[in-house]
Amino acid sequence: MGRTVRVIAALGLAVLPGTTAHAAAQAARPPRAVAPALTAPAAPAVRRSAWTGTWEAAPSGTAPALPGAAIRNVVHLSTGGNAVRVRLSNRLGTAPLRLGAVTVALRRAAGPDAAPGTLRTATFHGAPTITVAPGRDLLTDPVPLPVRAGADLLVTVHTPDDDGPATFHRQAMQTSYVARSGAGAAQDESGAAYTATTGSWYYVTGVDVRGSATGSVAAFGDSLTDGVGATTDADRRWPDRLAEHLRARRVGVLNAGISGNRLLRDGTGPSGLSRLDADALDRAGVRVLVVFEGINDIINTPGLTATALTDAYRTLVARAHARGIPVVGVTLTPYCGHRLFDPAREALRQQVNTFIRTGGAFDAVADADAALRDPADPQRLLPGYDQGDHLHFNDTGLLAVADTVGRVLDHRFVGRAAGVRVLR
């Protein structure tokens, strides 16, 4: 790779005791200058020991708590390292959350059993327990556990007396496990105590790795990114497939999708504008932001104008640029045949897509609309990509989105030798 490029500044990340979501109306700062142009070297040594996000589930709401239970969350890592740290959240809770025990382990196989010898206790400033204030996230101390890209990690959380509401991610498309009598169960390699299952992730909202990863891509969106329509327990959401595409280059992919989410209004989860920092820009090692959101605004917001949505995109991009993070815009895909389809809303989708393609706000564009629409009826998804409701994608359609985004990243941002970088 001998051509001249611009390389994003080194990671420079630190463990923080907690974070909160920034207000949607935060003023955008001027874009930060990137490093001077230079010939791309191999990844600098400093990057090899920095923290990079390997997995994420953005908080989407709250659920009744399970006091006394241990929840063994199954999470699929996009990139590997020699140590991990876990992000736990009481961001949407209204009462203090006491964590009685948190453990991590590699999964033995399908099911709740830990691989022998891999279970580790996570600590918080050296202590095995902590209380998390309402509205807060926190990171565990580093846990020395080598993990590989594509591995399943078990993150077990015991809440001795949580009265809730519990911060969770509803649509996991992944089976996790619950021990109703959880005292001591977090430390069990055996999954015998985990006799109940859940399709949601509780409390855990991120995993970072330390090692040779070169940075991460944050996929920011709604149910189309969250993975509705994907085969459960198969890791076939489009960010998962993108992670497979980028794996050899040691790039992590973070799924910041929330089913039902909108850019402009709270509803299912905080609005995209209000959660942008906490769910994307503040995550460890983020080097590129991919935005695939807006269809829920179009079909669920009476009186919405194209200007309101395009202004939201401009604000989002400006906030990412203030961190030196380039943004890929993804065009909104067809939904004719869906129960909420309406010709006026379709006209609005077309206006918004024209802006994404030609408005100049984004650093690059991944044209998912062009890739997934039916050439014989461009207002509809190609039948082979349709999950059945004419809005969400099946596994094949999700792979098509990943391929579309992957080609843009390959061309514009991801160097095969030097990790994630900015070309322009």
Side-chain angles (χ1 to χ4, degrees):
M1 302 296 294
R3 58 183 175 177
T4 299
V5 298
R6 293 183 178 179
V7 181
I8 292 179
L11 296 175
L13 298 162
V15 177
L16 300 176
T19 59
T20 58
H22 292 280
Q26 175 185 355
R29 292 167 288 174
R32 188 183 68 187
V34 297
L38 49 83
T39 300
V46 65
R47 296 173 70 104
R48 297 181 182 276
S49 62
W51 289 102
T52 295
T54 184
W55 176 86
E56 176 183 351
S60 67
T62 60
L66 301 172
I71 302 171
R72 184 153 280 183
N73 299 278
V74 179
V75 308
H76 189 69
L77 306 184
S78 60
T79 191
N82 53 37
V84 301
R85 65 182 184 184
V86 178
R87 182 183 296 261
L88 297 147
S89 183
N90 191 24
R91 193 192 308 170
L92 305 180
T94 57
L97 168 66
R98 186 161 72 94
L99 302 177
V102 177
T103 63
V104 296
L106 292 171
R107 184 152 76 148
R108 182 174 184 176
D113 290 340
T118 68
L119 193 140
R120 308 281 190 274
T121 297
T123 59
F124 308 88
H125 304 291
T129 65
I130 196 169
T131 297
V132 189
R136 302 288 291 182
D137 294 347
L138 60 79
L139 290 166
T140 67
D141 298 331
V143 179
L145 176 66
V147 296
R148 60 175 177 79
D152 284 345
L153 190 72
L154 305 177
V155 181
T156 306
V157 181
H158 175 225
T159 53
D161 48 17
D162 182 24
D163 292 327
T167 297
F168 82 148
H169 183 92
R170 182 184 298 276
Q171 294 274 21
M173 308 305 294
Q174 171 68 58
T175 302
S176 292
Y177 302 89
V178 180
R180 297 287 183 180
S181 298
Q187 289 80 12
D188 290 344
E189 284 188 352
S190 168
Y194 295 85
T195 56
T197 61
T198 176
S200 302
W201 287 302
Y202 281 75
Y203 307 112
V204 58
T205 61
V207 178
D208 301 336
V209 291
R210 186 171 61 194
S212 61
T214 57
S216 59
V217 175
F220 194 80
D222 47 40
S223 59
L224 302 178
T225 297
D226 204 2
V228 171
T231 300
T232 298
D233 295 333
D235 302 306
R236 293 178 182 170
R237 313 161 194 85
W238 74 257
D240 296 321
R241 307 309 296 267
L242 180 65
E244 295 171 4
H245 176 81
L246 297 174
R247 188 161 294 161
R249 284 162 275 177
R250 307 187 310 279
V251 176
V253 177
L254 303 179
N255 189 333
I258 295 179
S259 297
N261 199 233
R262 289 181 284 180
L263 277 173
L264 292 168
R265 294 191 183 182
D266 295 345
T268 305
S271 72
L273 285 177
S274 65
R275 70 185 184 90
L276 175 65
D277 288 14
D279 290 344
L281 305 184
D282 290 345
R283 298 286 172 149
V286 171
R287 294 293 171 260
V288 178
L289 177 66
V290 180
V291 177
F292 187 14
E293 185 159 18
I295 196 66
N296 286 323
D297 295 80
I298 288 173
I299 64 180
N300 287 312
T301 308
L304 180 70
T305 65
T307 299
L309 202 48
T310 58
D311 283 351
Y313 289 133
R314 291 186 191 278
T315 298
L316 188 151
V317 171
R319 287 166 58 186
H321 283 177
R323 306 285 194 95
I325 297 172
V327 186
V328 177
V330 183
T331 52
L332 305 181
T333 45
Y335 72 107
C336 183
H338 186 267
R339 62 185 178 83
L340 294 177
F341 180 82
D342 175 84
R345 293 170 180 153
E346 171 62 14
L348 181 56
R349 183 181 74 90
Q350 297 290 352
Q351 287 180 274
V352 171
N353 277 348
T354 297
F355 170 82
I356 294 172
R357 292 185 182 105
T358 65
F362 295 97
D363 300 285
V365 174
D367 200 343
D369 173 46
L372 276 76
R373 67 194 179 203
D374 185 346
D377 187 353
Q379 295 184 1
R380 292 179 178 269
L381 289 172
L382 195 70
Y385 294 151
D386 191 342
Q387 178 260 353
D389 66 359
H390 311 298
L391 171 65
H392 296 97
F393 317 130
N394 59 19
D395 291 348
T396 305
L398 290 162
L399 179 59
V401 176
D403 288 344
T404 302
V405 174
R407 284 193 293 271
V408 172
L409 294 177
D410 288 346
H411 178 63
R412 293 291 305 275
F413 302 111
V414 180
R416 296 183 182 275
V420 181
R421 67 197 188 191
V422 177
L423 298 183
R424 296 179 178 85

